[in-house]
Amino acid sequence: MANSFGVFSSQTFLIFVLLPSLFSALTAATNTLTPRPFNKIYAFGDSFTDTGNTKTATGPSGFGHVSTSPYGSTYFHHPTNRYSDGRLVIDFVTQSLSLPFLPPYLHNKDNATYGVNFAVGGATAINHAFFVKNNLSLDITPQSIQTQLIWFNKFLESKGCKAAESSVPQCQAAFDDALFWVGEIGVNDYAYTLGSSVTSDTIRKLAIPSFTNFLQALLKRGAKYVVVQGLPTTGCLPLAMYLAPEDDRDGIGCVKSVNNQSYTHNLVLQAQLQNLRQQFPQAVIVYADYWNAFRMVMKNPGKYGFKEPFKACCGSGEPPYNFNVFATCGSPSAKACPNPYQYINWDGVHLTEAMYKVMSDMFLSGTFSRPPFSYLLSRKQRDG
């Protein structure tokens, strides 16, 4: 093999050396000629969107190893406090818009030129006080979507934009050319009440008004371009499969009762989004259909390159889902699979980078956003 390198001429060597530099120059020139549609992104949500606001010491104790290997092993090659082996949907969104990864609000406030991520693992749509009142606060983080709104308002104030002065240049700078990406929120609300007397109807009736108030506050402050992810098919997660009786299954092998719960939640959410569109006609509000996108992959995983639709890549080894709530990913007895790109699920709840990539493609370029994300981009281009 070593002798084969001798056939390369000096011209060939120069080509290999110069091509990367030439490509970088062309890319830079293209970026200069084609302005980015958005200069910044503000992200909100829970652990599906969190890029580092929680760490091992502050996240939900059920998944208390996010700061340790093998989290982050696929793309970053080290833990980044993302609940995955690599990038999340929000990371693929930023890359698709030629923006850098978003810094987490709690740990990197100074680097906010291109936006901030306020999402936090374990977050709920309902305020924390509700769970405390019902003795359901043992294993949860205290932050809710309303907490993230408070953080966002504090961030704006730090930039000279106060609530009563929305027309000042500092506020215009914060909102102009900004995309608001709201990851799914509400899965934790239902999960935290499992086994309690609190019904899913109660959670839905409290969670959606709280979430709607959050969106309304963003829109009143000046948000013009908003993407809202619905809940995924949470009944397809290994945790749900592990906990549910085997006779509670739907046509694709997932937990029927849990998927129905998420589906009903999303129906009510979509009705509220339509009301908000009427209240704020100047804004573009896109619904990213996580439930149907996820279900599409589960119906035919092989089409998307997946061989393991139900088993976690990183877990205890316990059959049939490679999952045990007492030995989750990152704990001493858990191991990661060598091929996470063939798995939909990473650690029993959160998804692999490969699955997040498929989901982001479906939202950004596919048919699972309403109106299409391309419409949002065209409106932004038209309105300037």
Side-chain angles (χ1 to χ4, degrees):
M1 178 65 80
N3 290 336
S4 65
F5 287 98
V7 302
F8 285 120
S9 67
S10 59
Q11 291 90 340
T12 306
F13 177 77
L14 283 172
I15 289 172
F16 273 91
V17 171
L18 293 175
L19 269 179
S21 300
L22 180 60
F23 178 77
S24 298
L26 288 172
T27 302
T30 302
N31 289 341
T32 303
L33 294 172
T34 308
R36 288 186 291 246
F38 295 100
N39 290 330
K40 60 184 77 70
I41 301 175
Y42 300 119
F44 306 85
D46 61 15
S47 55
F48 278 56
T49 309
D50 185 358
T51 56
N53 282 311
T54 49
K55 298 183 179 181
T56 289
T58 57
S61 60
F63 289 87
H65 306 281
V66 69
S67 302
T68 59
S69 180
Y71 282 94
S73 56
T74 292
Y75 180 81
F76 301 99
H77 306 298
H78 62 86
T80 63
N81 297 305
R82 286 168 170 79
Y83 289 85
S84 181
D85 61 310
R87 292 164 290 182
L88 314 178
V89 166
I90 187 61
D91 295 315
F92 290 112
V93 171
T94 59
Q95 289 184 311
S96 74
L97 296 173
S98 301
L99 292 170
F101 296 136
L102 297 180
Y105 171 72
L106 291 180
H107 305 295
N108 202 352
K109 300 178 188 178
D110 296 331
N111 184 23
T113 304
Y114 300 102
V116 184
N117 192 335
F118 299 92
V120 56
T124 54
I126 303 170
N127 284 341
H128 183 65
F130 168 82
F131 299 97
V132 174
K133 180 181 177 182
N134 287 277
N135 296 315
L136 298 170
S137 58
L138 179 63
D139 183 34
I140 69 175
T141 52
Q143 291 89 0
S144 68
I145 197 68
Q146 298 298 332
T147 307
Q148 295 174 43
L149 181 62
I150 293 170
W151 291 348
F152 178 62
N153 286 331
K154 286 182 177 178
F155 168 76
L156 292 179
E157 288 179 9
S158 73
K159 301 298 178 182
C161 174
K162 297 181 180 179
E165 304 171 347
S166 59
S167 62
V168 300
Q170 292 90 334
C171 291
Q172 291 175 348
F175 283 90
D176 286 353
D177 299 321
L179 173 66
F180 288 76
W181 189 279
V182 186
E184 68 89 13
I185 189 90
V187 169
N188 292 321
D189 298 71
Y190 293 103
Y192 293 154
T193 57
L194 188 67
S196 76
S197 60
V198 179
T199 66
S200 60
D201 284 347
T202 298
I203 293 299
R204 186 172 60 254
K205 290 174 182 177
L206 292 173
I208 291 181
S210 176
F211 183 54
T212 304
N213 289 338
F214 160 79
L215 292 173
Q216 204 166 36
L218 291 182
L219 292 161
K220 284 182 177 178
R221 287 301 304 264
K224 295 179 183 177
Y225 306 97
V226 184
V227 177
V228 179
Q229 292 181 223
L231 303 189
T233 50
T234 44
C236 297
L237 303 177
L239 173 62
M241 308 281 288
Y242 174 88
L243 294 173
E246 291 185 3
D247 60 353
D248 184 6
R249 296 293 186 268
D250 59 17
I252 57 174
C254 301
V255 181
K256 183 176 182 180
S257 60
V258 178
N259 275 350
N260 287 347
Q261 177 181 275
S262 300
Y263 182 80
T264 303
H265 181 101
N266 288 339
L267 285 180
V268 180
L269 171 60
Q270 289 175 76
Q272 291 302 310
L273 293 183
Q274 188 56 32
N275 291 337
L276 290 174
R277 291 184 185 107
Q278 294 173 358
Q279 292 176 42
F280 302 92
Q282 78 283 1
V284 180
I285 303 173
V286 172
Y287 174 69
D289 191 349
Y290 217 155
W291 198 92
N292 278 302
F294 202 124
R295 190 171 187 275
M296 178 68 76
V297 176
M298 293 299 298
K299 287 169 66 177
N300 190 3
K303 178 182 177 181
Y304 301 92
F306 298 114
K307 293 184 178 180
E308 293 288 354
F310 294 113
K311 188 184 292 185
C313 169
C314 182
S316 62
E318 182 174 323
Y321 308 116
N322 189 31
F323 181 77
N324 185 311
V325 291
F326 301 108
T328 54
C329 183
S331 60
S333 59
K335 293 182 180 179
C337 66
N339 52 340
Y341 58 90
Q342 294 180 340
Y343 284 68
I344 286 175
N345 197 276
W346 168 244
D347 62 5
V349 170
H350 310 98
L351 311 182
T352 59
E353 175 182 276
M355 182 59 167
Y356 282 129
K357 178 65 167 70
V358 171
M359 293 293 97
S360 65
D361 287 344
M362 287 179 157
F363 297 151
L364 300 176
S365 308
T367 59
F368 291 90
S369 291
R370 294 187 295 274
F373 190 71
S374 58
Y375 171 78
L376 180 146
L377 292 176
S378 63
R379 271 285 301 268
K380 175 64 176 66
Q381 187 176 26
R382 188 193 76 187
D383 298 343

